[in-house]
Amino acid sequence: EAQVTQNPRYLITVTGKKLTVTCSQNMNHEYMSWYRQDPGLGLRQIYYSMNVEVTDKGDVPEGYKVSRKEKRNFPLILESPSPNQTSLYFCASGTSGSRPDTQYFGPGTRLTVL
Amino acid sequence: DQQVKQNSPSLSVQEGRISILNCDYTNSMFDYFLWYKKYPAEGPTFLISISSIKDKNEDGRFTVFLNKSAKHLSLHIVPSQPGDSAVYFCAASTFAGAGSYQLTFGKGTKLSVIP
């Protein structure tokens, strides 16, 4: 089954404790992306990657890091989480160069930073 | 500056009637528009899209209309069904170079279809 998986689905942590949210896709997609969804703000892009070792900032990259060492994985790293990073996070993947309606979303990770 | 606007946070419609969800955009560089549907505890799923060279695209009960001069698009659902109750996101795409694209999302409209 074609899918995007995220782990963990739920996470409660404390300010300053480094964490990683994993994202994996099994569709051999070149393009992967991270979004956050906040009430009243919709979905905002954090980082995206066009292919292995190619990443770029989205609209709200501050406080986040990403890496793309393998095609299927695109982890989101919060080196020193803060309460304003409490949000619902979505990973997505798609085929580069084709229409954007090929983008598939993961189920989401709800992060709470105390 | 919000480039994609969904001014109605919520909409309630009777089952069997038409649901109309609206979206406005400000960036004239957007060339592709999409609607996503999102149920609680799930990621958004693609619903329907339209290229900027068209003014209408239909897929079953779902039709998207694009008015480029007004920078406005709308999603029509006819007839509405209780299973359509979800949050609907409007999104717009620009070509970001080197085969990439970027999606800009609206805030979403929560549709409730009342049986």
Side-chain angles (χ1 to χ4, degrees), chain B:
Chain B
D1 179 32
Q2 196 183 353
Q3 298 186 69
V4 177
K5 300 176 185 178
Q6 293 178 258
N7 291 320
S8 298
S10 62
L11 175 68
S12 290
V13 172
Q14 206 73 29
E15 180 180 2
R17 299 287 185 101
I18 184 171
S19 295
I20 300 176
L21 294 90
N22 293 305
C23 179
D24 297 293
Y25 62 95
T26 58
N27 188 344
S28 57
M29 298 299 291
F30 289 142
D31 57 4
Y32 206 82
F33 303 89
L34 308 91
W35 286 94
Y36 286 83
K37 179 178 180 179
K38 184 184 177 303
Y39 291 118
E42 295 182 11
T45 55
F46 168 71
L47 186 60
I48 192 169
S49 62
I50 187 166
S51 164
S52 60
I53 62 173
K54 296 186 176 182
D55 55 18
K56 178 183 175 181
N57 188 27
E58 195 170 352
D59 184 2
R61 297 185 297 113
F62 303 91
T63 303
V64 56
F65 295 92
L66 175 62
N67 182 335
K68 282 183 64 178
S69 61
K71 293 190 174 68
H72 175 83
L73 64 154
S74 60
L75 173 68
H76 292 211
I77 306 173
V78 182
S80 301
Q81 300 173 353
D84 296 329
S85 297
V87 176
Y88 289 78
F89 289 100
C90 172
S93 170
T94 51
F95 184 69
S100 71
Y101 53 82
Q102 277 196 274
L103 286 177
T104 302
F105 285 84
K107 295 181 180 180
T109 296
K110 183 177 182 180
L111 173 66
S112 299
V113 180
I114 304 160

Side-chain angles (χ1 to χ4, degrees), chain A:
Chain A
E1 179 189 353
Q3 60 183 351
V4 178
T5 56
Q6 296 178 226
N7 282 294
R9 295 289 312 278
Y10 301 91
L11 178 61
I12 300 175
T13 189
V14 295
T15 299
K17 186 176 181 182
K18 180 179 179 179
L19 66 92
T20 299
V21 183
T22 65
C23 173
S24 182
Q25 49 94 3
N26 62 1
M27 294 167 279
N28 202 36
H29 284 160
E30 299 88 3
Y31 180 92
M32 296 187 75
S33 181
W34 276 102
Y35 295 88
R36 60 179 288 175
Q37 182 190 359
D38 301 290
L41 294 175
L43 284 130
R44 295 178 295 168
Q45 189 177 50
I46 303 170
Y47 269 95
Y48 65 97
S49 169
M50 292 304 301
N51 214 324
V52 176
E53 302 292 0
V54 180
T55 63
D56 209 344
K57 296 177 181 178
D59 297 320
V60 288
E62 294 78 20
Y64 304 94
K65 284 176 58 177
V66 292
S67 70
R68 189 88 182 277
K69 294 184 174 16
E70 306 167 280
K71 199 172 188 180
R72 63 181 294 129
N73 295 322
F74 190 44
L76 180 69
I77 304 157
L78 284 73
E79 294 269 5
S80 183
S82 62
N84 65 12
Q85 293 178 297
T86 292
S87 187
L88 180 57
Y89 291 87
F90 291 101
C91 179
S93 74
T95 51
S96 283
S98 57
R99 295 185 320 192
D101 48 10
T102 59
Q103 192 163 173
Y104 298 87
F105 285 81
T109 295
R110 186 166 291 281
L111 172 65
T112 302
V113 183
L114 301 174

